[in-house]
Structure formats: structure tokens, C-alpha cells
Amino acid sequence: MLIHCKTDHAVILVPLDSGDGLWMFPSDPGPWAGLRMTVKPLMPIVPQIAEVIRTRLGFAMEPAGYQVCPEFEDIIMLDSNTPATLYAVQAGDLKLAESIPADPDRPIRLATFPDWLGRLPQERQRLSWLRAWQIYQGVLVQNVKAVEATEVLKALTQREPQP
């Protein structure tokens, strides 16, 4: 369960609908995907994320069906070795990207997640964004079981007795 942010900065991944079925992720300028925010210390993080979504993207997070993934938070390093916590916001029905209000003082760039991954520096922390992408692909909620190859072969070749 997410309560407090472990760093002074956070990066929020919020999926939006491009209008033709593609997921677009709004981001602040720079090589890193996501919206950046400065965290208020000792304050719960989810209401702070909801406030950023309301002010930057123009909609209320919870009434719109968006929620912060409680099983994911990852520490990343931004420009100039500034630590930040990466959060993934999920939604059942995505808001349209074209509904984002324009703000010339804080421009927002939109791109698909694979586009963002291609632009990221070739560093180890890129894995944090790959783990976030797995959440959006549903890997986190899948029930995965590892089995030995011999068990699979036995299950495939074993026939049920005929009555």
C-alpha cells in the first residue's frame, strides 16, 4: 500500500487514449516519460498525485476511474542524479488525450510508451519503465506458475482413462 513517497520527487505515468486506440502518455520536457512533481514531505502521496492529474491533465483522478497502482513504486535517477519515485496510474476507461488543457508555461508532450522507451537513455534504470510497462500489459495481475519441463511433457502426454 502506498502512503508516503520515498524521495523528494516523483514521476507519474498516466495513460490516455489517443482517439484511435493507442495509449498515449503525457510527459514533461526531457528524456524521461511521465509527469514530474515535487513531493510534499510527510503528506500521503496518492492525494498529491491526484492533484497533479487534476491541475495538469484537467480531470479528477478517482471519478474518472483512474487509480495509482498500489503494487508498484520504483526509485529512478533523473537528470543531475536527482532521485525520484516512479508511479503507474491505471484506468478502466481512458480519458482522451485531446481533452488535456493546453498550458504554454508547462508544455506536455504525448507519445506511446514504446516511443518513450526508445528515447530513454541506455541505462540500467530503464528497467523501471519496463516494469511499469508490464503493469499496463497486465502482467502484474496474471497468475503465473513456473513448472518443470518434464511436468509439462507428462501432462501433455498423459491420457485420461477411458470408461
Side-chain angles (χ1 to χ4, degrees), residues 14-33:
V14 183
L16 300 172
D17 186 351
S18 67
D20 58 0
L22 292 176
W23 286 22
M24 304 297 283
F25 290 81
S27 296
D28 287 315
W32 309 108

mmCIF file with all atom_site columns, all heavy atoms in Angstrom, residues 14-33:
data_model
loop_
_atom_site.group_PDB
_atom_site.id
_atom_site.type_symbol
_atom_site.label_atom_id
_atom_site.label_alt_id
_atom_site.label_comp_id
_atom_site.label_asym_id
_atom_site.label_entity_id
_atom_site.label_seq_id
_atom_site.pdbx_PDB_ins_code
_atom_site.Cartn_x
_atom_site.Cartn_y
_atom_site.Cartn_z
_atom_site.occupancy
_atom_site.B_iso_or_equiv
_atom_site.pdbx_formal_charge
_atom_site.auth_seq_id
_atom_site.auth_comp_id
_atom_site.auth_asym_id
_atom_site.auth_atom_id
_atom_site.pdbx_PDB_model_num
ATOM 1   N N   . VAL A 1 14 ? 0.637  8.244  -16.653 1.00 0.00 ? 14 VAL A N   1
ATOM 2   C CA  . VAL A 1 14 ? -0.829 8.285  -16.763 1.00 0.00 ? 14 VAL A CA  1
ATOM 3   C C   . VAL A 1 14 ? -1.214 7.956  -18.202 1.00 0.00 ? 14 VAL A C   1
ATOM 4   O O   . VAL A 1 14 ? -0.915 8.732  -19.114 1.00 0.00 ? 14 VAL A O   1
ATOM 5   C CB  . VAL A 1 14 ? -1.377 9.677  -16.387 1.00 0.00 ? 14 VAL A CB  1
ATOM 6   C CG1 . VAL A 1 14 ? -2.895 9.680  -16.434 1.00 0.00 ? 14 VAL A CG1 1
ATOM 7   C CG2 . VAL A 1 14 ? -0.874 10.128 -15.029 1.00 0.00 ? 14 VAL A CG2 1
ATOM 8   N N   . PRO A 1 15 ? -1.882 6.830  -18.442 1.00 0.00 ? 15 PRO A N   1
ATOM 9   C CA  . PRO A 1 15 ? -2.284 6.508  -19.812 1.00 0.00 ? 15 PRO A CA  1
ATOM 10  C C   . PRO A 1 15 ? -3.515 7.305  -20.244 1.00 0.00 ? 15 PRO A C   1
ATOM 11  O O   . PRO A 1 15 ? -4.441 7.514  -19.460 1.00 0.00 ? 15 PRO A O   1
ATOM 12  C CB  . PRO A 1 15 ? -2.598 5.016  -19.737 1.00 0.00 ? 15 PRO A CB  1
ATOM 13  C CG  . PRO A 1 15 ? -3.028 4.787  -18.329 1.00 0.00 ? 15 PRO A CG  1
ATOM 14  C CD  . PRO A 1 15 ? -2.240 5.773  -17.499 1.00 0.00 ? 15 PRO A CD  1
ATOM 15  N N   . LEU A 1 16 ? -3.493 7.748  -21.494 1.00 0.00 ? 16 LEU A N   1
ATOM 16  C CA  . LEU A 1 16 ? -4.622 8.437  -22.107 1.00 0.00 ? 16 LEU A CA  1
ATOM 17  C C   . LEU A 1 16 ? -4.893 7.777  -23.456 1.00 0.00 ? 16 LEU A C   1
ATOM 18  O O   . LEU A 1 16 ? -4.013 7.149  -24.034 1.00 0.00 ? 16 LEU A O   1
ATOM 19  C CB  . LEU A 1 16 ? -4.309 9.921  -22.310 1.00 0.00 ? 16 LEU A CB  1
ATOM 20  C CG  . LEU A 1 16 ? -3.984 10.733 -21.057 1.00 0.00 ? 16 LEU A CG  1
ATOM 21  C CD1 . LEU A 1 16 ? -3.504 12.118 -21.444 1.00 0.00 ? 16 LEU A CD1 1
ATOM 22  C CD2 . LEU A 1 16 ? -5.194 10.825 -20.143 1.00 0.00 ? 16 LEU A CD2 1
ATOM 23  N N   . ASP A 1 17 ? -6.100 7.940  -23.961 1.00 0.00 ? 17 ASP A N   1
ATOM 24  C CA  . ASP A 1 17 ? -6.483 7.379  -25.248 1.00 0.00 ? 17 ASP A CA  1
ATOM 25  C C   . ASP A 1 17 ? -6.198 8.400  -26.341 1.00 0.00 ? 17 ASP A C   1
ATOM 26  O O   . ASP A 1 17 ? -6.621 9.550  -26.247 1.00 0.00 ? 17 ASP A O   1
ATOM 27  C CB  . ASP A 1 17 ? -7.970 7.019  -25.231 1.00 0.00 ? 17 ASP A CB  1
ATOM 28  C CG  . ASP A 1 17 ? -8.427 6.286  -26.476 1.00 0.00 ? 17 ASP A CG  1
ATOM 29  O OD1 . ASP A 1 17 ? -7.658 6.176  -27.451 1.00 0.00 ? 17 ASP A OD1 1
ATOM 30  O OD2 . ASP A 1 17 ? -9.582 5.824  -26.484 1.00 0.00 ? 17 ASP A OD2 1
ATOM 31  N N   . SER A 1 18 ? -5.512 7.966  -27.385 1.00 0.00 ? 18 SER A N   1
ATOM 32  C CA  . SER A 1 18 ? -5.176 8.869  -28.491 1.00 0.00 ? 18 SER A CA  1
ATOM 33  C C   . SER A 1 18 ? -6.385 9.184  -29.361 1.00 0.00 ? 18 SER A C   1
ATOM 34  O O   . SER A 1 18 ? -6.342 10.093 -30.165 1.00 0.00 ? 18 SER A O   1
ATOM 35  C CB  . SER A 1 18 ? -4.084 8.238  -29.360 1.00 0.00 ? 18 SER A CB  1
ATOM 36  O OG  . SER A 1 18 ? -4.600 7.090  -30.004 1.00 0.00 ? 18 SER A OG  1
ATOM 37  N N   . GLY A 1 19 ? -7.458 8.418  -29.212 1.00 0.00 ? 19 GLY A N   1
ATOM 38  C CA  . GLY A 1 19 ? -8.634 8.581  -30.056 1.00 0.00 ? 19 GLY A CA  1
ATOM 39  C C   . GLY A 1 19 ? -8.748 7.472  -31.083 1.00 0.00 ? 19 GLY A C   1
ATOM 40  O O   . GLY A 1 19 ? -9.820 7.224  -31.616 1.00 0.00 ? 19 GLY A O   1
ATOM 41  N N   . ASP A 1 20 ? -7.640 6.794  -31.344 1.00 0.00 ? 20 ASP A N   1
ATOM 42  C CA  . ASP A 1 20 ? -7.674 5.670  -32.284 1.00 0.00 ? 20 ASP A CA  1
ATOM 43  C C   . ASP A 1 20 ? -7.162 4.381  -31.641 1.00 0.00 ? 20 ASP A C   1
ATOM 44  O O   . ASP A 1 20 ? -6.646 3.502  -32.304 1.00 0.00 ? 20 ASP A O   1
ATOM 45  C CB  . ASP A 1 20 ? -6.901 5.995  -33.556 1.00 0.00 ? 20 ASP A CB  1
ATOM 46  C CG  . ASP A 1 20 ? -5.447 6.358  -33.305 1.00 0.00 ? 20 ASP A CG  1
ATOM 47  O OD1 . ASP A 1 20 ? -5.022 6.352  -32.136 1.00 0.00 ? 20 ASP A OD1 1
ATOM 48  O OD2 . ASP A 1 20 ? -4.728 6.638  -34.278 1.00 0.00 ? 20 ASP A OD2 1
ATOM 49  N N   . GLY A 1 21 ? -7.300 4.296  -30.311 1.00 0.00 ? 21 GLY A N   1
ATOM 50  C CA  . GLY A 1 21 ? -6.965 3.071  -29.604 1.00 0.00 ? 21 GLY A CA  1
ATOM 51  C C   . GLY A 1 21 ? -5.557 2.977  -29.054 1.00 0.00 ? 21 GLY A C   1
ATOM 52  O O   . GLY A 1 21 ? -5.248 2.041  -28.326 1.00 0.00 ? 21 GLY A O   1
ATOM 53  N N   . LEU A 1 22 ? -4.689 3.909  -29.409 1.00 0.00 ? 22 LEU A N   1
ATOM 54  C CA  . LEU A 1 22 ? -3.328 3.886  -28.868 1.00 0.00 ? 22 LEU A CA  1
ATOM 55  C C   . LEU A 1 22 ? -3.304 4.546  -27.492 1.00 0.00 ? 22 LEU A C   1
ATOM 56  O O   . LEU A 1 22 ? -4.004 5.523  -27.259 1.00 0.00 ? 22 LEU A O   1
ATOM 57  C CB  . LEU A 1 22 ? -2.368 4.632  -29.795 1.00 0.00 ? 22 LEU A CB  1
ATOM 58  C CG  . LEU A 1 22 ? -2.091 3.993  -31.142 1.00 0.00 ? 22 LEU A CG  1
ATOM 59  C CD1 . LEU A 1 22 ? -1.195 4.900  -31.969 1.00 0.00 ? 22 LEU A CD1 1
ATOM 60  C CD2 . LEU A 1 22 ? -1.459 2.629  -30.981 1.00 0.00 ? 22 LEU A CD2 1
ATOM 61  N N   . TRP A 1 23 ? -2.471 4.011  -26.627 1.00 0.00 ? 23 TRP A N   1
ATOM 62  C CA  . TRP A 1 23 ? -2.282 4.621  -25.312 1.00 0.00 ? 23 TRP A CA  1
ATOM 63  C C   . TRP A 1 23 ? -1.189 5.663  -25.430 1.00 0.00 ? 23 TRP A C   1
ATOM 64  O O   . TRP A 1 23 ? -0.078 5.360  -25.868 1.00 0.00 ? 23 TRP A O   1
ATOM 65  C CB  . TRP A 1 23 ? -1.875 3.573  -24.295 1.00 0.00 ? 23 TRP A CB  1
ATOM 66  C CG  . TRP A 1 23 ? -2.973 2.663  -23.864 1.00 0.00 ? 23 TRP A CG  1
ATOM 67  C CD1 . TRP A 1 23 ? -4.133 2.381  -24.525 1.00 0.00 ? 23 TRP A CD1 1
ATOM 68  C CD2 . TRP A 1 23 ? -3.001 1.886  -22.683 1.00 0.00 ? 23 TRP A CD2 1
ATOM 69  N NE1 . TRP A 1 23 ? -4.866 1.474  -23.816 1.00 0.00 ? 23 TRP A NE1 1
ATOM 70  C CE2 . TRP A 1 23 ? -4.193 1.157  -22.674 1.00 0.00 ? 23 TRP A CE2 1
ATOM 71  C CE3 . TRP A 1 23 ? -2.112 1.738  -21.621 1.00 0.00 ? 23 TRP A CE3 1
ATOM 72  C CZ2 . TRP A 1 23 ? -4.534 0.298  -21.643 1.00 0.00 ? 23 TRP A CZ2 1
ATOM 73  C CZ3 . TRP A 1 23 ? -2.456 0.871  -20.595 1.00 0.00 ? 23 TRP A CZ3 1
ATOM 74  C CH2 . TRP A 1 23 ? -3.665 0.169  -20.610 1.00 0.00 ? 23 TRP A CH2 1
ATOM 75  N N   . MET A 1 24 ? -1.509 6.871  -25.018 1.00 0.00 ? 24 MET A N   1
ATOM 76  C CA  . MET A 1 24 ? -0.547 7.965  -25.029 1.00 0.00 ? 24 MET A CA  1
ATOM 77  C C   . MET A 1 24 ? -0.213 8.319  -23.581 1.00 0.00 ? 24 MET A C   1
ATOM 78  O O   . MET A 1 24 ? -1.087 8.278  -22.714 1.00 0.00 ? 24 MET A O   1
ATOM 79  C CB  . MET A 1 24 ? -1.128 9.179  -25.745 1.00 0.00 ? 24 MET A CB  1
ATOM 80  C CG  . MET A 1 24 ? -1.602 8.896  -27.167 1.00 0.00 ? 24 MET A CG  1
ATOM 81  S SD  . MET A 1 24 ? -0.286 8.395  -28.279 1.00 0.00 ? 24 MET A SD  1
ATOM 82  C CE  . MET A 1 24 ? 0.457  9.959  -28.595 1.00 0.00 ? 24 MET A CE  1
ATOM 83  N N   . PHE A 1 25 ? 1.041  8.677  -23.341 1.00 0.00 ? 25 PHE A N   1
ATOM 84  C CA  . PHE A 1 25 ? 1.480  9.036  -22.000 1.00 0.00 ? 25 PHE A CA  1
ATOM 85  C C   . PHE A 1 25 ? 1.987  10.476 -22.005 1.00 0.00 ? 25 PHE A C   1
ATOM 86  O O   . PHE A 1 25 ? 2.956  10.778 -22.693 1.00 0.00 ? 25 PHE A O   1
ATOM 87  C CB  . PHE A 1 25 ? 2.564  8.077  -21.511 1.00 0.00 ? 25 PHE A CB  1
ATOM 88  C CG  . PHE A 1 25 ? 2.037  6.706  -21.216 1.00 0.00 ? 25 PHE A CG  1
ATOM 89  C CD1 . PHE A 1 25 ? 1.828  5.790  -22.223 1.00 0.00 ? 25 PHE A CD1 1
ATOM 90  C CD2 . PHE A 1 25 ? 1.717  6.346  -19.917 1.00 0.00 ? 25 PHE A CD2 1
ATOM 91  C CE1 . PHE A 1 25 ? 1.322  4.529  -21.958 1.00 0.00 ? 25 PHE A CE1 1
ATOM 92  C CE2 . PHE A 1 25 ? 1.209  5.093  -19.631 1.00 0.00 ? 25 PHE A CE2 1
ATOM 93  C CZ  . PHE A 1 25 ? 1.005  4.177  -20.651 1.00 0.00 ? 25 PHE A CZ  1
ATOM 94  N N   . PRO A 1 26 ? 1.319  11.359 -21.259 1.00 0.00 ? 26 PRO A N   1
ATOM 95  C CA  . PRO A 1 26 ? 1.789  12.748 -21.187 1.00 0.00 ? 26 PRO A CA  1
ATOM 96  C C   . PRO A 1 26 ? 3.066  12.829 -20.370 1.00 0.00 ? 26 PRO A C   1
ATOM 97  O O   . PRO A 1 26 ? 3.230  12.122 -19.378 1.00 0.00 ? 26 PRO A O   1
ATOM 98  C CB  . PRO A 1 26 ? 0.635  13.465 -20.490 1.00 0.00 ? 26 PRO A CB  1
ATOM 99  C CG  . PRO A 1 26 ? -0.085 12.409 -19.727 1.00 0.00 ? 26 PRO A CG  1
ATOM 100 C CD  . PRO A 1 26 ? 0.114  11.134 -20.468 1.00 0.00 ? 26 PRO A CD  1
ATOM 101 N N   . SER A 1 27 ? 3.965  13.709 -20.822 1.00 0.00 ? 27 SER A N   1
ATOM 102 C CA  . SER A 1 27 ? 5.249  13.839 -20.152 1.00 0.00 ? 27 SER A CA  1
ATOM 103 C C   . SER A 1 27 ? 5.743  15.272 -20.197 1.00 0.00 ? 27 SER A C   1
ATOM 104 O O   . SER A 1 27 ? 5.421  16.019 -21.124 1.00 0.00 ? 27 SER A O   1
ATOM 105 C CB  . SER A 1 27 ? 6.287  12.928 -20.800 1.00 0.00 ? 27 SER A CB  1
ATOM 106 O OG  . SER A 1 27 ? 5.923  11.584 -20.651 1.00 0.00 ? 27 SER A OG  1
ATOM 107 N N   . ASP A 1 28 ? 6.513  15.613 -19.197 1.00 0.00 ? 28 ASP A N   1
ATOM 108 C CA  . ASP A 1 28 ? 7.187  16.902 -19.170 1.00 0.00 ? 28 ASP A CA  1
ATOM 109 C C   . ASP A 1 28 ? 8.377  16.847 -20.113 1.00 0.00 ? 28 ASP A C   1
ATOM 110 O O   . ASP A 1 28 ? 8.867  15.756 -20.454 1.00 0.00 ? 28 ASP A O   1
ATOM 111 C CB  . ASP A 1 28 ? 7.654  17.224 -17.742 1.00 0.00 ? 28 ASP A CB  1
ATOM 112 C CG  . ASP A 1 28 ? 6.491  17.597 -16.829 1.00 0.00 ? 28 ASP A CG  1
ATOM 113 O OD1 . ASP A 1 28 ? 5.640  18.392 -17.259 1.00 0.00 ? 28 ASP A OD1 1
ATOM 114 O OD2 . ASP A 1 28 ? 6.449  17.095 -15.689 1.00 0.00 ? 28 ASP A OD2 1
ATOM 115 N N   . PRO A 1 29 ? 8.907  18.008 -20.537 1.00 0.00 ? 29 PRO A N   1
ATOM 116 C CA  . PRO A 1 29 ? 10.084 18.011 -21.405 1.00 0.00 ? 29 PRO A CA  1
ATOM 117 C C   . PRO A 1 29 ? 11.264 17.267 -20.769 1.00 0.00 ? 29 PRO A C   1
ATOM 118 O O   . PRO A 1 29 ? 11.422 17.269 -19.552 1.00 0.00 ? 29 PRO A O   1
ATOM 119 C CB  . PRO A 1 29 ? 10.399 19.498 -21.556 1.00 0.00 ? 29 PRO A CB  1
ATOM 120 C CG  . PRO A 1 29 ? 9.094  20.184 -21.332 1.00 0.00 ? 29 PRO A CG  1
ATOM 121 C CD  . PRO A 1 29 ? 8.384  19.343 -20.300 1.00 0.00 ? 29 PRO A CD  1
ATOM 122 N N   . GLY A 1 30 ? 12.045 16.631 -21.604 1.00 0.00 ? 30 GLY A N   1
ATOM 123 C CA  . GLY A 1 30 ? 13.194 15.871 -21.133 1.00 0.00 ? 30 GLY A CA  1
ATOM 124 C C   . GLY A 1 30 ? 13.133 14.452 -21.658 1.00 0.00 ? 30 GLY A C   1
ATOM 125 O O   . GLY A 1 30 ? 12.171 14.056 -22.296 1.00 0.00 ? 30 GLY A O   1
ATOM 126 N N   . PRO A 1 31 ? 14.158 13.652 -21.394 1.00 0.00 ? 31 PRO A N   1
ATOM 127 C CA  . PRO A 1 31 ? 14.199 12.295 -21.934 1.00 0.00 ? 31 PRO A CA  1
ATOM 128 C C   . PRO A 1 31 ? 13.317 11.303 -21.188 1.00 0.00 ? 31 PRO A C   1
ATOM 129 O O   . PRO A 1 31 ? 13.101 10.194 -21.655 1.00 0.00 ? 31 PRO A O   1
ATOM 130 C CB  . PRO A 1 31 ? 15.674 11.908 -21.785 1.00 0.00 ? 31 PRO A CB  1
ATOM 131 C CG  . PRO A 1 31 ? 16.129 12.683 -20.606 1.00 0.00 ? 31 PRO A CG  1
ATOM 132 C CD  . PRO A 1 31 ? 15.376 13.982 -20.652 1.00 0.00 ? 31 PRO A CD  1
ATOM 133 N N   . TRP A 1 32 ? 12.801 11.689 -20.025 1.00 0.00 ? 32 TRP A N   1
ATOM 134 C CA  . TRP A 1 32 ? 12.075 10.739 -19.188 1.00 0.00 ? 32 TRP A CA  1
ATOM 135 C C   . TRP A 1 32 ? 10.580 10.830 -19.425 1.00 0.00 ? 32 TRP A C   1
ATOM 136 O O   . TRP A 1 32 ? 10.012 11.913 -19.487 1.00 0.00 ? 32 TRP A O   1
ATOM 137 C CB  . TRP A 1 32 ? 12.376 11.006 -17.711 1.00 0.00 ? 32 TRP A CB  1
ATOM 138 C CG  . TRP A 1 32 ? 13.837 11.080 -17.451 1.00 0.00 ? 32 TRP A CG  1
ATOM 139 C CD1 . TRP A 1 32 ? 14.566 12.196 -17.163 1.00 0.00 ? 32 TRP A CD1 1
ATOM 140 C CD2 . TRP A 1 32 ? 14.765 10.009 -17.471 1.00 0.00 ? 32 TRP A CD2 1
ATOM 141 N NE1 . TRP A 1 32 ? 15.880 11.882 -17.007 1.00 0.00 ? 32 TRP A NE1 1
ATOM 142 C CE2 . TRP A 1 32 ? 16.039 10.541 -17.194 1.00 0.00 ? 32 TRP A CE2 1
ATOM 143 C CE3 . TRP A 1 32 ? 14.655 8.648  -17.706 1.00 0.00 ? 32 TRP A CE3 1
ATOM 144 C CZ2 . TRP A 1 32 ? 17.181 9.754  -17.143 1.00 0.00 ? 32 TRP A CZ2 1
ATOM 145 C CZ3 . TRP A 1 32 ? 15.800 7.868  -17.660 1.00 0.00 ? 32 TRP A CZ3 1
ATOM 146 C CH2 . TRP A 1 32 ? 17.034 8.417  -17.378 1.00 0.00 ? 32 TRP A CH2 1
ATOM 147 N N   . ALA A 1 33 ? 9.948  9.689  -19.538 1.00 0.00 ? 33 ALA A N   1
ATOM 148 C CA  . ALA A 1 33 ? 8.496  9.637  -19.685 1.00 0.00 ? 33 ALA A CA  1
ATOM 149 C C   . ALA A 1 33 ? 7.845  10.009 -18.354 1.00 0.00 ? 33 ALA A C   1
ATOM 150 O O   . ALA A 1 33 ? 8.406  9.783  -17.290 1.00 0.00 ? 33 ALA A O   1
ATOM 151 C CB  . ALA A 1 33 ? 8.072  8.230  -20.097 1.00 0.00 ? 33 ALA A CB  1
#
